[in-house]
PDB file of all heavy atoms in Angstrom:
ATOM      1  N   ASN A  68      -8.606   9.873   1.057  1.00 97.00           N
ATOM      2  CA  ASN A  68      -9.931   9.773   0.472  1.00 97.00           C
ATOM      3  C   ASN A  68     -10.052   8.474  -0.320  1.00 97.00           C
ATOM      4  O   ASN A  68      -9.119   8.058  -0.995  1.00 97.00           O
ATOM      5  CB  ASN A  68     -10.163  10.975  -0.456  1.00 97.00           C
ATOM      6  CG  ASN A  68     -11.549  11.005  -1.026  1.00 97.00           C
ATOM      7  OD1 ASN A  68     -12.516  10.710  -0.330  1.00 97.00           O
ATOM      8  ND2 ASN A  68     -11.652  11.355  -2.293  1.00 97.00           N
ATOM      9  N   SER A  69     -11.221   7.842  -0.239  1.00 97.00           N
ATOM     10  CA  SER A  69     -11.518   6.633  -1.019  1.00 97.00           C
ATOM     11  C   SER A  69     -12.669   6.942  -1.962  1.00 97.00           C
ATOM     12  O   SER A  69     -13.735   7.360  -1.523  1.00 97.00           O
ATOM     13  CB  SER A  69     -11.951   5.485  -0.110  1.00 97.00           C
ATOM     14  OG  SER A  69     -10.954   5.180   0.818  1.00 97.00           O
ATOM     15  N   LEU A  70     -12.449   6.734  -3.229  1.00 97.00           N
ATOM     16  CA  LEU A  70     -13.498   6.897  -4.232  1.00 97.00           C
ATOM     17  C   LEU A  70     -13.768   5.523  -4.835  1.00 97.00           C
ATOM     18  O   LEU A  70     -12.870   4.896  -5.384  1.00 97.00           O
ATOM     19  CB  LEU A  70     -13.044   7.877  -5.315  1.00 97.00           C
ATOM     20  CG  LEU A  70     -13.990   8.074  -6.489  1.00 97.00           C
ATOM     21  CD1 LEU A  70     -15.294   8.707  -6.027  1.00 97.00           C
ATOM     22  CD2 LEU A  70     -13.334   8.953  -7.545  1.00 97.00           C
ATOM     23  N   ILE A  71     -15.007   5.039  -4.705  1.00 97.00           N
ATOM     24  CA  ILE A  71     -15.368   3.737  -5.255  1.00 97.00           C
ATOM     25  C   ILE A  71     -15.779   3.925  -6.710  1.00 97.00           C
ATOM     26  O   ILE A  71     -16.645   4.743  -7.021  1.00 97.00           O
ATOM     27  CB  ILE A  71     -16.505   3.088  -4.450  1.00 97.00           C
ATOM     28  CG1 ILE A  71     -16.128   2.967  -2.967  1.00 97.00           C
ATOM     29  CG2 ILE A  71     -16.870   1.722  -5.039  1.00 97.00           C
ATOM     30  CD1 ILE A  71     -14.891   2.136  -2.696  1.00 97.00           C
ATOM     31  N   ILE A  72     -15.151   3.160  -7.586  1.00 96.00           N
ATOM     32  CA  ILE A  72     -15.388   3.263  -9.028  1.00 96.00           C
ATOM     33  C   ILE A  72     -15.950   1.930  -9.522  1.00 96.00           C
ATOM     34  O   ILE A  72     -15.475   0.867  -9.123  1.00 96.00           O
ATOM     35  CB  ILE A  72     -14.074   3.598  -9.766  1.00 96.00           C
ATOM     36  CG1 ILE A  72     -13.523   4.922  -9.258  1.00 96.00           C
ATOM     37  CG2 ILE A  72     -14.283   3.617 -11.277  1.00 96.00           C
ATOM     38  CD1 ILE A  72     -12.124   5.223  -9.721  1.00 96.00           C
ATOM     39  N   LYS A  73     -16.949   2.003 -10.402  1.00 96.00           N
ATOM     40  CA  LYS A  73     -17.505   0.796 -11.011  1.00 96.00           C
ATOM     41  C   LYS A  73     -17.104   0.755 -12.475  1.00 96.00           C
ATOM     42  O   LYS A  73     -17.372   1.689 -13.230  1.00 96.00           O
ATOM     43  CB  LYS A  73     -19.030   0.781 -10.885  1.00 96.00           C
ATOM     44  CG  LYS A  73     -19.664  -0.478 -11.429  1.00 96.00           C
ATOM     45  CD  LYS A  73     -21.163  -0.486 -11.198  1.00 96.00           C
ATOM     46  CE  LYS A  73     -21.777  -1.749 -11.775  1.00 96.00           C
ATOM     47  NZ  LYS A  73     -23.232  -1.756 -11.607  1.00 96.00           N
ATOM     48  N   ASP A  74     -16.448  -0.330 -12.863  1.00 93.00           N
ATOM     49  CA  ASP A  74     -16.026  -0.506 -14.246  1.00 93.00           C
ATOM     50  C   ASP A  74     -17.256  -0.733 -15.121  1.00 93.00           C
ATOM     51  O   ASP A  74     -18.090  -1.591 -14.834  1.00 93.00           O
ATOM     52  CB  ASP A  74     -15.075  -1.707 -14.342  1.00 93.00           C
ATOM     53  CG  ASP A  74     -14.500  -1.849 -15.726  1.00 93.00           C
ATOM     54  OD1 ASP A  74     -15.165  -2.478 -16.567  1.00 93.00           O
ATOM     55  OD2 ASP A  74     -13.396  -1.335 -15.971  1.00 93.00           O
ATOM     56  N   ASP A  75     -17.385   0.056 -16.185  1.00 95.00           N
ATOM     57  CA  ASP A  75     -18.554  -0.025 -17.064  1.00 95.00           C
ATOM     58  C   ASP A  75     -18.642  -1.361 -17.800  1.00 95.00           C
ATOM     59  O   ASP A  75     -19.731  -1.858 -18.070  1.00 95.00           O
ATOM     60  CB  ASP A  75     -18.528   1.111 -18.091  1.00 95.00           C
ATOM     61  CG  ASP A  75     -18.732   2.472 -17.448  1.00 95.00           C
ATOM     62  OD1 ASP A  75     -19.365   2.529 -16.372  1.00 95.00           O
ATOM     63  OD2 ASP A  75     -18.249   3.466 -18.015  1.00 95.00           O
ATOM     64  N   ILE A  76     -17.517  -1.944 -18.113  1.00 95.00           N
ATOM     65  CA  ILE A  76     -17.515  -3.183 -18.893  1.00 95.00           C
ATOM     66  C   ILE A  76     -17.738  -4.410 -18.007  1.00 95.00           C
ATOM     67  O   ILE A  76     -18.637  -5.210 -18.254  1.00 95.00           O
ATOM     68  CB  ILE A  76     -16.202  -3.313 -19.688  1.00 95.00           C
ATOM     69  CG1 ILE A  76     -16.098  -2.153 -20.682  1.00 95.00           C
ATOM     70  CG2 ILE A  76     -16.117  -4.653 -20.400  1.00 95.00           C
ATOM     71  CD1 ILE A  76     -14.754  -2.028 -21.348  1.00 95.00           C
ATOM     72  N   SER A  77     -16.922  -4.545 -16.960  1.00 95.00           N
ATOM     73  CA  SER A  77     -17.004  -5.749 -16.126  1.00 95.00           C
ATOM     74  C   SER A  77     -18.023  -5.629 -15.002  1.00 95.00           C
ATOM     75  O   SER A  77     -18.474  -6.632 -14.468  1.00 95.00           O
ATOM     76  CB  SER A  77     -15.633  -6.059 -15.526  1.00 95.00           C
ATOM     77  OG  SER A  77     -15.288  -5.072 -14.572  1.00 95.00           O
ATOM     78  N   GLY A  78     -18.358  -4.404 -14.630  1.00 95.00           N
ATOM     79  CA  GLY A  78     -19.274  -4.196 -13.510  1.00 95.00           C
ATOM     80  C   GLY A  78     -18.599  -4.316 -12.157  1.00 95.00           C
ATOM     81  O   GLY A  78     -19.236  -4.145 -11.117  1.00 95.00           O
ATOM     82  N   LYS A  79     -17.295  -4.585 -12.143  1.00 95.00           N
ATOM     83  CA  LYS A  79     -16.567  -4.719 -10.881  1.00 95.00           C
ATOM     84  C   LYS A  79     -16.300  -3.347 -10.275  1.00 95.00           C
ATOM     85  O   LYS A  79     -16.132  -2.355 -10.979  1.00 95.00           O
ATOM     86  CB  LYS A  79     -15.262  -5.470 -11.100  1.00 95.00           C
ATOM     87  CG  LYS A  79     -15.495  -6.902 -11.504  1.00 95.00           C
ATOM     88  CD  LYS A  79     -14.206  -7.663 -11.611  1.00 95.00           C
ATOM     89  CE  LYS A  79     -14.524  -9.098 -11.993  1.00 95.00           C
ATOM     90  NZ  LYS A  79     -13.354  -9.933 -11.966  1.00 95.00           N
TER      91      LYS A  79
END
Side-chain angles (χ1 to χ4, degrees):
N68 184 40
S69 301
L70 176 65
I71 304 300
I72 300 169
K73 183 176 179 182
D74 186 274
D75 292 334
I76 298 170
S77 69
K79 294 185 179 187

